[in-house]
């Protein structure tokens, strides 16, 4: 399982020549944690390119563009690594990319290969990430918070609310280094990850993103990735130097 966390603040977001913002937020809505609220840009020439300067350098591992108005199959490229847009189960279009491990950077350029005149983007996710081994019996529930009441004639009156996905997974029992010894990527461990996800900080939880051969499985990556908030449960001592825990991730959907 790949877990993206702690996206730094954005110091600057700008478009390369050939594109201009159509929304008054000038791209700020790309990073507000609300993929249902979008920024729009007007393309006049070339491929739209979004240049982002983060407040601090990170080892970028997860890139996602959510809530797109693009068709499927559009290529998105970041630092030589590409992905394509895909239509998700809820009908929205997104592009998820897992970057190879590289040096930390605060400057990211996202290139969208399209001739479409107006491009809408609900959220641009740029995060470091950590791999956490998990048990095979993870599950994804579709939560529908709509409220319905029946009349005396049993007719339904429903107050519709947007459904969202909720993932539940157990971490594979692991040793002290993974639990609280900084033994994961970027010096992370379960305890540090738990604090990094507090206060509803946005994260990305991806239970399946590689093939059995270790290559990126772009289809499973797009269909299983959840952008939202998450909670790491109690870290339980099992025996000796082995510990266990679990995670629940709740999606923030791109639909209104």
């Amino acid at each position: 399982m790949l877990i993206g966390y702690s996206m730094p603040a954005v110091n600057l977001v700008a478009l390369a020549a050939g594109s201009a913002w159509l929304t008054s937020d000038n791209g700020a809505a790309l990073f507000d944690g609300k993929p249902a609220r979008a920024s729009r840009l007007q393309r006049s020439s070339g491929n739209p390119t979004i240049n982002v300067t983060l407040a601090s350098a990170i080892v970028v591992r997860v890139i996602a563009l959510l809530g797109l108005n693009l068709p499927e199959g559009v290529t998105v490229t970041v630092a030589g690594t590409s992905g394509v847009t895909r239509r998700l189960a809820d009908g929205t279009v997104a592009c998820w990319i897992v970057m190879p491990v590289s040096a930390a950077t605060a400057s990211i350029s996202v290139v969208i290969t399209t001739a479409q005149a107006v491009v809408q983007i609900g959220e641009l996710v740029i995060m470091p990430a950590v791999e956490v081994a998990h048990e095979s019996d993870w599950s994804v529930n579709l939560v529908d918070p709509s409220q319905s009441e029946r009349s005396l004639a049993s007719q339904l009156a429903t107050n519709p609310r947007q459904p969202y996905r909720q993932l539940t997974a157990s971490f594979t029992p692991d040793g002290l280094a993974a639990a609280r010894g900084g033994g994961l990527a970027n010096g992370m461990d379960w305890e540090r990850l738990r604090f990094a996800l507090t206060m509803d900080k946005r994260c990305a939880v991806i239970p399946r993103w590689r093939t059995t051969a270790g290559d990126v499985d772009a289809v499973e990556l797009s269909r299983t990735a959840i952008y939202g908030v998450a909670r790491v449960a109690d870290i339980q001592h099992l025996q000796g130097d082995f510990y266990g825990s679990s995670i629940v991730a709740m999606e923030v959907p791109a639909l209104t």
Side-chain angles (χ1 to χ4, degrees):
M1 174 182 296
L2 191 65
I3 303 175
Y5 61 92
S6 297
M7 177 174 169
V10 174
N11 280 351
L12 178 67
V13 55
L15 295 174
S19 299
W21 296 113
L22 288 176
T23 44
S24 60
D25 67 285
N26 292 324
L30 297 178
F31 312 105
D32 63 358
K34 299 174 181 176
R37 183 163 60 189
S39 293
R40 295 192 308 279
L41 62 88
Q42 174 79 51
R43 172 200 165 275
S44 57
S45 64
N47 294 319
T49 300
I50 305 170
N51 297 315
V52 180
T53 302
L54 301 173
S56 59
I58 60 170
V59 177
V60 179
R61 286 284 279 151
V62 174
I63 299 282
L65 281 75
L66 310 176
L68 299 168
N69 69 337
L70 297 168
E72 289 191 287
V74 172
T75 300
V76 177
T77 304
V78 181
T81 300
S82 297
V84 298
T85 56
R86 299 179 186 275
R87 191 168 299 279
L88 307 181
D90 62 2
T92 63
V93 175
C95 180
W96 284 87
I97 302 172
V98 173
M99 304 291 292
V101 177
S102 59
T105 182
S107 299
I108 297 96
S109 291
V110 180
V111 182
I112 305 172
T113 305
T114 183
Q116 185 167 305
V118 176
V119 176
Q120 175 176 298
I121 307 169
E123 194 81 1
L124 174 52
V125 181
I126 305 169
M127 291 181 175
V130 62
E131 283 195 70
V132 178
H134 65 95
E135 301 290 89
S136 60
D137 59 347
W138 58 276
S139 63
V140 177
N141 181 32
L142 182 63
V143 180
D144 185 355
S146 300
Q147 298 175 332
S148 298
E149 294 182 355
R150 288 187 181 271
S151 69
L152 292 177
S154 293
Q155 303 304 296
L156 281 175
T158 301
N159 178 21
R161 297 174 65 186
Q162 188 60 50
Y164 62 92
R165 292 176 296 161
Q166 179 171 292
L167 177 145
T168 303
S170 297
F171 294 167
T172 301
D174 213 333
L176 278 170
R180 60 173 179 271
L184 304 178
N186 308 321
M188 184 62 67
D189 53 42
W190 295 355
E191 282 196 340
R192 290 182 174 93
L193 180 63
R194 182 168 59 174
F195 276 104
L197 300 180
T198 57
M199 297 182 289
D200 284 348
K201 298 185 183 75
R202 297 297 184 260
C203 67
V205 180
I206 311 170
R208 286 184 61 89
W209 64 280
R210 287 188 297 193
T211 65
T212 54
D215 302 319
V216 174
D217 186 333
V219 175
E220 282 290 84
L221 165 62
S222 296
R223 290 301 294 266
T224 67
I226 288 182
Y227 172 71
V229 298
R231 302 282 189 275
V232 174
D234 293 346
I235 298 172
Q236 301 173 319
H237 178 253
L238 302 178
Q239 60 179 359
D241 285 340
F242 277 87
Y243 294 80
S245 189
S246 61
I247 190 169
V248 175
M250 295 160 283
E251 181 181 36
V252 177
L255 288 170
T256 56

